[in-house]
Amino acid sequence: MTGNHLSNPTTCHLVTMPKRFWILCDQTLKAWQQLNLILDRERKILLSRDLKSLWTIIGSKNALAQRIKGLESDLDFLARQILTNRGINNTPSLVALRDILHPMEVDRFTRWKTRLELAKAQAYRTNKATLKWITQEMNLGRQLIEILCGKRGHENYTTYARPGDKDNGTTARARHDSPGVNTQVRGDLYRHGVCSYQINQLHGKQDGGI
């Protein structure tokens, strides 16, 4: 039988889910839980400004992100195979898998799915808080650069005057226009940094995926 729905799901239950399915489920959940530990550590390192440790923690986070990507891909592929073999061709979801689960495995699957969603939600909240902090710090840095370069608002003034400089705006404007203190370039670098952090974060799959 083919199609998107079983004609009589109660008679089409699997005896048990394949052992590999539960192994992948456990590995995926543990990986997300481990990611949350790393994200918490990353946030503490950022707040303490321990840049040396930051390189190490980011390397660990990126490696784990790749592992999660692989595990979720393998789990999604296996779920599609299981559903297709049972005549269900729609996207794998909690509802679709529950239709073929043995009644004694429904609770186990539901508990796993709930814990996975909680772990993903926690990772998203931590990333959001970290991104907010980074953005605030970058905005503060940008404002400090503007003040030190004398480009706060529309005013022209010299923050650090050398002996003999006249505060007539000419020196200030010349200093502002020099490449070494170009506020626009520095602002672009700050925005690039924020965007890079946003792109590199894991937020989990959209609802409906495994």
Side-chain angles (χ1 to χ4, degrees):
M1 173 183 168
T2 59
N4 291 334
H5 300 284
L6 297 173
S7 60
N8 186 6
T10 60
T11 62
C12 298
H13 290 304
L14 292 177
V15 176
T16 57
M17 291 293 278
K19 183 178 180 180
R20 175 164 169 74
F21 175 81
W22 292 117
I23 290 176
L24 285 173
C25 285
D26 292 340
Q27 289 178 340
T28 302
L29 176 58
K30 288 179 181 178
W32 273 98
Q33 291 172 335
Q34 184 180 357
L35 178 64
N36 277 310
L37 295 176
I38 290 179
L39 291 176
D40 287 339
R41 176 62 178 158
E42 177 190 53
R43 180 164 172 75
K44 291 178 181 177
I45 289 174
L46 284 169
L47 292 174
S48 67
R49 291 173 168 79
D50 183 4
L51 299 183
K52 184 177 180 180
S53 297
L54 189 60
W55 284 108
T56 301
I57 201 72
I58 287 178
S60 298
K61 183 181 69 173
N62 291 340
L64 185 56
Q66 290 300 316
R67 173 170 169 75
I68 288 176
K69 182 178 179 181
L71 287 170
E72 290 191 332
S73 178
D74 290 345
L75 184 57
D76 183 70
F77 180 78
L78 180 57
R80 289 178 185 276
Q81 280 189 323
I82 293 171
L83 290 169
T84 299
N85 291 339
R86 307 304 296 180
I88 305 174
N89 300 319
N90 57 337
T91 302
S93 67
L94 175 62
V95 175
L97 286 175
R98 280 174 63 95
D99 284 341
I100 62 171
L101 283 174
H102 189 279
M104 295 188 66
E105 291 192 320
V106 171
D107 287 343
R108 179 181 180 182
F109 180 80
T110 302
R111 286 194 302 271
W112 168 81
K113 182 69 172 176
T114 300
R115 294 175 67 189
L116 181 66
E117 290 173 349
L118 289 174
K120 288 186 176 184
Q122 181 180 343
Y124 175 77
R125 287 193 300 269
T126 303
N127 272 333
K128 186 176 181 180
T130 300
L131 178 59
K132 181 179 179 180
W133 181 85
I134 289 176
T135 303
Q136 290 173 341
E137 291 293 301
M138 287 186 170
N139 286 336
L140 175 60
R142 176 182 55 79
Q143 292 172 20
L144 287 173
I145 288 174
E146 289 177 352
I147 293 172
L148 294 175
C149 294
K151 298 195 69 173
R152 185 68 171 170
H154 297 290
E155 300 173 355
N156 284 319
Y157 59 90
T158 304
T159 304
Y160 296 118
R162 294 171 297 181
D165 283 349
K166 294 183 179 180
D167 192 13
N168 58 8
T170 303
T171 303
R173 282 192 296 272
R175 197 168 300 167
H176 298 159
D177 294 336
S178 66
V181 294
N182 190 305
T183 308
Q184 180 63 43
V185 172
R186 293 176 185 268
D188 289 341
L189 288 174
Y190 280 123
R191 285 191 292 273
H192 175 72
V194 173
C195 291
S196 296
Y197 185 84
Q198 288 175 309
I199 291 171
N200 287 318
Q201 300 314 295
L202 274 174
H203 296 306
K205 290 193 173 184
Q206 298 296 321
D207 292 340
I210 292 299

